[in-house]
Each structure stands twice: as structure tokens, then as C-alpha cells.
Amino acid sequence: MIDLLDYNESINHLLARYGVKFGIYKNGTFKEQLFPFDTIPRIITPEEFDELNAGLKQRVDALNMFIGDIYGEKKILKDGIIPEEFIFSSPGYLKECEGIMPPHGIFSHISGIDLVQAKDQSWYILEDNLRVPSGASYPMIARSLCRRAAPQVFREHKIVDNRNYAQMLREVMDYSNTGGINVILTPGRYNAAYFEHSYLAEQTGAVLVNNSDLTVKGEYLYYKDFHGNDVKVGAVYRRISDDYLDPMTFKEESLIGVPHIMDIYRKGNVAIINAPGNGIADDKGIYYFVPKMIEYYLHEMPILKNAPTYLPFYDEDFEYVMEHFDKLVIKDVAEAGGYGVIFGSSLSPEELEKFKETVRKERRRFIAQEVIDFLDIEIEDNGEIVPRKADLRAFVLSGEETKVWASGLTRFSRVPDSFIVNSSQGGGFKDTWVLSR
């Protein structure tokens, strides 16, 4: 990849110029920073992608069925596969979504599934992100700049073209659309992923809107265009969280939501992408049950593995976690972005006992996982090629059929031996090449 390495600095300069950044709030202040790009790609063989493709489609199909079941007949609870109290105590469960069936029964239209590859080449799923998963825009624009900088590299290597993501997303929006235009609802300029909102709107032909651009009138949702005309909206790809989506249904203090949008959504007069209430399926505690969901709904064995996981909620798992605390990674189910992740081995004896006591008092709040030794991948760091830990966020789109994007967001740690790769924690990203046959 010497040709691409030669362009590392110039490509990062262009990414900065085009505003390819992410934002974080720290100490009450919004701060934008660059998402460092490394030009050495992660390479996935055709055989590896075949396994990922089949396993990810299987998993997302089961998760969609699970969400529909939880807000519908609740068969999985009646059959004792998942404890009732585990569902209704989840912060991701929204009673306001009970009985709502979105267009075509699709809840998670865009799923971001986080995986790691162990040193034995096995893939493990770490998390399912089904609410507002972000990150697809970064490999999209990075691949475009790499093609422009070193076109010969892409002529010489058999790489699956990843420029179809926008078309895949457009097809999902069109399929779910109830009649009207497609819009992407952003909370505004100071959102962490604002670059992505605007970029995806440009690429898909959807209209980028703020809540002030949308109004519920009668039974439908309308967008006020530049000429002052009301244009009917059929699909809203919302990039704001459930809590702030509709102040008449959720947080009444929300200033970024659309009043009464839930009323017309419940009636089937607009599609909301992703559906409200999906948080029940990406609760880190519910993750434990996904292999059981696949067997229950699809009558198949899971193709991809969960990381070995323990639920302190169960007495047997609780005892195991207490005995092996210093060898496990403990995750707070309500946290995201790499926060709330504690490696037991990093704690002092006093911190260990204190944390154990917290888990003892709030057993539903935590999961524990075996530490998977990620495969190291090469990055360029100050002119040297060095190994770093990395994960992969795969994007699975559900419309008329479920499709896995032959690309993805590879995030890596810039700190030696660190397992935390999130952008908010200082990580970088690289392109993901799926090789063609």
C-alpha cells in the first residue's frame, strides 16, 4: 500500500477541509475534532465476507423480529426465553411504542453491528447498534479521496466498490416511504455527527431538515420548502434520539423534536427510520440473548458468535463474575461510545472491591465479558508502521430485503495495547476493503 501511504497527509488535509469531523461535549462545552484517517486498509477476503454477510443478515433479521414481538404479542417472554423483568426494566423499552407496527414490519432499517476479529481469525460480535448508528459516511468519503489520490491502486487490486451505500440507503427509505419525500432530520450544526447528516442527504437526494422545517397538519407530516409550500413527507430518517423525537410523547422539554409526529407514525402515515423503541434490542444486557433469539425466531444456529458474556442478573453468572472480576471486562448497559467499560485487571484492590459492591447492588445494570485479544492491524504512526487494536462496524440495511454493505468502518486505537477504539476516546479510522473474487 506504499502508493496510498504516500498520500496519508494530503488525504487527512482534504478530510479536514471538507469538514469531516465529529463533535464531543466535554465539561459542558461542544468541541469538534478531526477523525484521523489511516490509509493502510483493513482487508477482508471474499471467504470472510461470505461468513459475515450470512451471519449479519441472520442476526439483524432476528433482531427485527424480536422488536416486533416485544411491542406486539411478546411470545418470546411467554415462552420463557427472556425474563419479563429483564425487558420492562430496560431503559431502551418504551411503553409509548406498544402496539405500533411500522411499514413492512421493519424496525431497524440501518443496523450498525460492531465486531472484532480474534487472533485465531474468528469474528465476535461485541455490540448491536439499532437506534441511530453512525459512521458510514467516513469510509464513503475516505474511499472517494483515496480513489482520486491513487487511482492505480484500485485498478491493480480487486476491491468491491463501496460507492453503493447511498443507493442502498435510498432504496430503504423509498421502500418504507408512506407517500411523500424523504427527509433526514438533524438536531443541528452542533450534533456530533452533523457532517454525516449533511453528507448522506447530499448523496441520497433526501432533504436535510431541522425540526422547525417540519409540521404535523391533520393526519400527515409536511416540509416547508424554500417557496413556502407544504410538501408531504413520507419517510423521516431521524438522527435524534427517541427521548427528543416528539415533545408531546417523550421529553416535553425537547426543542429539537417534531410535536405530534408519534401520533401520525402510530397511524401509519409516515415512516420513521430507525423506528422509535429500538433501544430494547441494543441494550447491552439484551445482547446476551441474541443467539437465543436466532434459534427461537429463525430456527437456525447462530453463524456469528457473541463474545463470551455473563449476566450478573443470574445467580450463577453473578458468582462467576465475582470470582473472576479481575479477568473480565465489565460494561454498564446504559453507556455508549466506549464509556462505562472497565477492565477488571486495571483496578487497584480497593477499586476492585468498591466496583464489586456496585455490581452486587445493581446486578441488572452490568454485563461482564471475557477479554478477546483482538487481531492487531497495521497503522502508520509518525512515519512508522505499528500494530494497533481495531474493531469493525458493519452496516446492515433492511428494506425489501436485508443487505450487508460490502465495506464498513474500521476504527483503531492510537494507544499501544488499548482496546478502546471509539472516536470519542481518541481513536482513528481506516477504509475496509472487501476483496472480490
Side-chain angles (χ1 to χ4, degrees):
M1 297 306 126
I2 299 301
D3 289 325
L4 279 176
L5 273 174
D6 293 342
Y7 295 96
N8 209 355
E9 186 176 339
S10 60
I11 290 173
N12 273 283
H13 176 75
L14 285 173
L15 289 170
R17 181 179 173 185
Y18 293 148
V20 184
K21 302 175 182 179
F22 66 94
I24 56 173
Y25 283 93
K26 195 168 185 179
N27 300 323
T29 302
F30 179 79
K31 181 182 178 183
E32 275 192 321
Q33 58 192 68
L34 298 176
F35 195 4
F37 175 65
D38 184 77
T39 53
I40 304 173
R42 167 178 231 147
I43 294 176
I44 295 176
T45 67
E47 294 75 23
E48 285 178 317
F49 186 71
D50 286 346
E51 179 189 9
L52 291 174
N53 186 53
L56 290 166
K57 288 197 292 186
Q58 179 195 59
R59 190 175 182 95
V60 169
D61 284 344
L63 285 164
N64 264 306
M65 295 174 75
F66 165 72
I67 302 169
D69 187 19
I70 289 301
Y71 291 116
E73 296 184 57
K74 301 176 177 57
K75 291 180 179 178
I76 200 166
L77 304 186
K78 294 171 184 175
D79 289 339
I81 308 300
I82 301 176
E84 266 191 42
E85 60 267 36
F86 213 84
I87 295 296
F88 299 124
S89 65
S90 170
Y93 167 74
L94 300 180
K95 65 181 186 301
E96 296 87 352
C97 296
E98 279 291 339
I100 300 178
M101 181 58 67
H104 306 292
I106 302 169
F107 289 82
S108 186
H109 307 79
I110 300 107
S111 305
I113 310 297
D114 293 345
L115 309 99
V116 293
Q117 191 172 24
K119 289 187 174 176
D120 66 359
Q121 307 299 313
S122 297
W123 288 93
Y124 290 90
I125 293 183
L126 289 187
E127 287 185 9
D128 305 293
N129 299 281
L130 310 182
R131 281 176 271 195
V132 193
S134 62
S137 63
Y138 297 107
M140 288 170 69
I141 193 167
R143 176 78 63 90
S144 175
L145 293 176
C146 287
R147 280 181 174 278
R148 209 186 307 171
Q152 69 279 7
V153 171
F154 295 89
R155 286 194 295 265
E156 293 167 1
H157 296 84
K158 294 181 177 180
I159 307 160
V160 177
D161 195 339
N162 78 341
R163 288 175 289 186
N164 63 336
Y165 184 83
Q167 179 60 32
M168 291 170 68
L169 180 55
R170 176 63 184 263
E171 288 172 1
V172 165
M173 290 192 285
D174 287 347
Y175 182 68
S176 300
N177 194 300
T178 60
I181 64 169
N182 297 321
V183 302
I184 296 180
L185 173 60
T186 176
R189 175 69 184 80
Y190 293 105
N191 181 263
Y194 181 75
F195 158 74
E196 177 157 285
H197 307 166
S198 56
Y199 185 74
L200 291 178
E202 175 190 337
Q203 294 295 308
T204 61
V207 180
L208 184 67
V209 300
N210 294 305
N211 65 322
S212 59
D213 300 317
L214 301 177
T215 309
V216 173
K217 293 184 178 181
E219 301 290 298
Y220 300 98
L221 181 67
Y222 293 92
Y223 161 68
K224 183 79 72 177
D225 71 11
F226 293 115
H227 303 291
N229 301 315
D230 286 335
V231 182
K232 188 180 172 189
V233 176
V236 179
Y237 178 15
R238 51 87 178 220
R239 297 301 299 256
I240 64 178
S241 67
D242 292 349
D243 288 347
Y244 296 94
L245 184 59
D246 183 344
M248 312 307 291
T249 301
F250 303 116
K251 285 184 181 284
E252 62 181 28
E253 66 269 26
S254 172
L255 300 177
I256 57 175
V258 180
H260 299 292
I261 192 173
M262 285 297 293
D263 296 337
I264 60 169
Y265 169 64
R266 181 178 288 275
K267 293 175 182 176
N269 292 342
V270 71
I272 299 179
I273 301 169
N274 281 341
N278 278 8
I280 188 57
D282 68 11
D283 178 319
K284 290 184 180 69
I286 297 298
Y287 160 95
Y288 175 89
F289 297 100
V290 178
K292 296 182 180 181
M293 289 178 204
I294 292 170
E295 294 180 44
Y296 181 77
Y297 293 114
L298 302 178
H299 309 292
E300 299 171 357
M301 294 304 295
I303 296 168
L304 294 172
K305 307 171 188 174
N306 271 15
T309 303
Y310 307 94
L311 283 189
F313 177 83
Y314 291 123
D315 290 341
E316 185 178 349
D317 282 13
F318 173 74
E319 296 299 331
Y320 182 87
V321 170
M322 289 297 107
E323 291 174 15
H324 300 86
F325 213 93
D326 59 337
K327 296 180 176 64
L328 300 170
V329 55
I330 316 298
K331 296 182 178 180
D332 187 325
V333 302
E335 295 282 2
Y339 296 99
V341 177
I342 302 293
F343 287 83
S345 59
S346 69
L347 301 176
S348 68
E350 295 78 15
E351 290 170 331
L352 194 66
E353 288 308 313
K354 186 177 180 181
F355 198 8
K356 275 187 177 182
E357 187 59 30
T358 301
V359 174
R360 193 174 282 113
K361 290 177 180 176
E362 301 180 73
R363 288 164 59 168
R364 169 63 177 86
R365 180 181 162 188
F366 298 95
I367 65 170
Q369 293 179 327
E370 302 285 355
V371 178
I372 296 173
D373 195 3
F374 299 14
L375 190 70
D376 291 304
I377 63 174
E378 292 183 338
I379 72 162
E380 189 271 334
D381 184 29
N382 293 321
E384 291 185 39
I385 305 300
V386 294
R388 292 289 184 268
K389 303 298 182 187
D391 76 353
L392 170 66
R393 174 163 292 182
F395 292 90
V396 186
L397 280 71
S398 301
E400 189 168 6
E401 58 183 297
T402 304
K403 297 180 180 179
V404 180
W405 185 35
S407 186
L409 176 65
T410 290
R411 300 174 297 184
F412 62 86
S413 171
R414 291 192 290 163
V415 179
D417 300 319
S418 172
F419 289 78
I420 306 297
V421 300
N422 304 71
S423 56
S424 56
Q425 303 283 301
F429 81 103
K430 51 173 69 225
D431 195 3
T432 306
W433 288 6
V434 176
L435 301 183
S436 59
R437 286 185 167 84

